[in-house]
Amino acid sequence: EVQGSFSLSRPKLEGLRSLSFSFQTQGLDVSDRHQYVPKVLPAGLKEWIANSLLSGELLNLQFAYHGQGHHVDYLNSRRIELMGDYADLNVIYFNNWPMVSEAEGRVHLRGKETIISVAGASTLGFERISANFAIDHVLDTLLGSVEFTSSGNGVIPFILNSPLKEDLSFVSKDWESKGLINGELNVSFPFSDKFSSELALDMRFHLGNFDLLVPNYNLVFRSLSGTGD
């Protein structure tokens, strides 16, 4: 069910004519996104939405538009705002990285920027993720900070099933870990055809009573604690 309203202003001077409309809906399925995602989004972002969002639901969605009745080229001649919650979202957020599952949070598209908050999610090896992202539609770039928690042997499978295995090539499937890792990851990348090589990561982490078994080097580390980056 969708509820909405619109208004049309038509003064004699054509340059002052404008159109405004808004709608609200309780829920939309992500699989139907081609029907409601604005076509005016940057090409890279539209491609990411089309290919990376696998399933989920948008809730309490509010959409508003205000703009000139005819095409003009000056800034803010047309403005779109979209705000709502999402739940049970499954997404491949970046090429070759593990899928994020059952994400829930809030999204707010406003003018030149989209803000995405992740209240909770999980991915391979990490049972708890929260995050905040900002997408700049002028620079076509995403900036974000992610807080994560992993226990058990989760961190090893994550490394082996992500691009991290290229930088940590010495890690093998025989390695085992046990204990707590939590930390923060700052990330940035552009939405472009060649962005897969331009991912920037900065990570800080804390180990709590962490064990690491490295059979191929005949090493065992017990009860590790401390911080690193």
Side-chain angles (χ1 to χ4, degrees), residues 38-167:
K39 295 182 179 180
V40 296
L41 293 180
L45 178 57
K46 286 194 295 184
E47 181 179 356
W48 184 87
I49 290 174
N51 298 330
S52 299
L53 299 181
L54 304 181
S55 62
E57 188 175 9
L58 297 175
L59 307 169
N60 306 314
L61 193 66
Q62 302 176 61
F63 176 87
Y65 167 90
H66 176 77
Q68 297 293 321
H70 68 290
H71 178 73
V72 291
D73 291 324
Y74 63 82
L75 185 64
N76 292 330
S77 61
R78 295 181 178 181
R79 184 176 178 88
I80 290 175
E81 187 160 359
L82 177 69
M83 180 169 58
D85 303 318
Y86 59 88
D88 299 323
L89 188 68
N90 296 313
V91 54
I92 300 294
Y93 58 96
F94 203 76
N95 290 347
N96 302 319
W97 290 80
M99 179 179 72
V100 170
S101 303
E102 299 179 348
E104 59 180 17
R106 190 164 181 81
V107 59
H108 188 183
L109 185 157
R110 52 186 185 190
K112 298 182 293 183
E113 183 179 54
T114 296
I115 303 297
I116 302 171
S117 63
V118 182
S122 62
T123 189
L124 176 66
F126 292 88
E127 59 268 28
R128 177 67 182 175
I129 300 172
S130 61
N132 289 288
F133 299 101
I135 301 174
D136 187 319
H137 299 305
V138 176
L139 300 177
D140 217 8
T141 301
L142 179 145
L143 300 174
S145 62
V146 181
E147 295 183 352
F148 58 86
T149 299
S150 176
S151 60
N153 194 41
V155 67
I156 303 301
F158 182 83
I159 291 173
L160 295 177
N161 289 276
S162 74
L164 291 175
K165 64 185 178 183
E166 298 176 6
D167 296 321

Side-chain angles (χ1 to χ4, degrees), residues 161-219:
N161 289 276
S162 74
L164 291 175
K165 64 185 178 183
E166 298 176 6
D167 296 321
L168 303 173
S169 57
F170 51 87
V171 177
S172 74
K173 63 181 181 180
D174 296 325
W175 288 32
E176 296 182 26
S177 65
K178 181 180 179 182
L180 181 67
I181 300 180
N182 54 47
E184 180 178 344
L185 176 69
N186 293 316
V187 58
S188 67
F189 64 85
F191 287 103
S192 67
D193 293 338
K194 299 180 180 180
F195 69 89
S196 60
S197 63
E198 299 180 33
L199 175 67
L201 297 173
D202 179 24
M203 183 171 64
R204 293 178 295 277
F205 62 89
H206 174 77
L207 303 177
N209 197 26
F210 187 78
D211 297 343
L212 180 62
L213 283 68
V214 189
N216 51 332
Y217 292 97
N218 198 28
L219 295 172

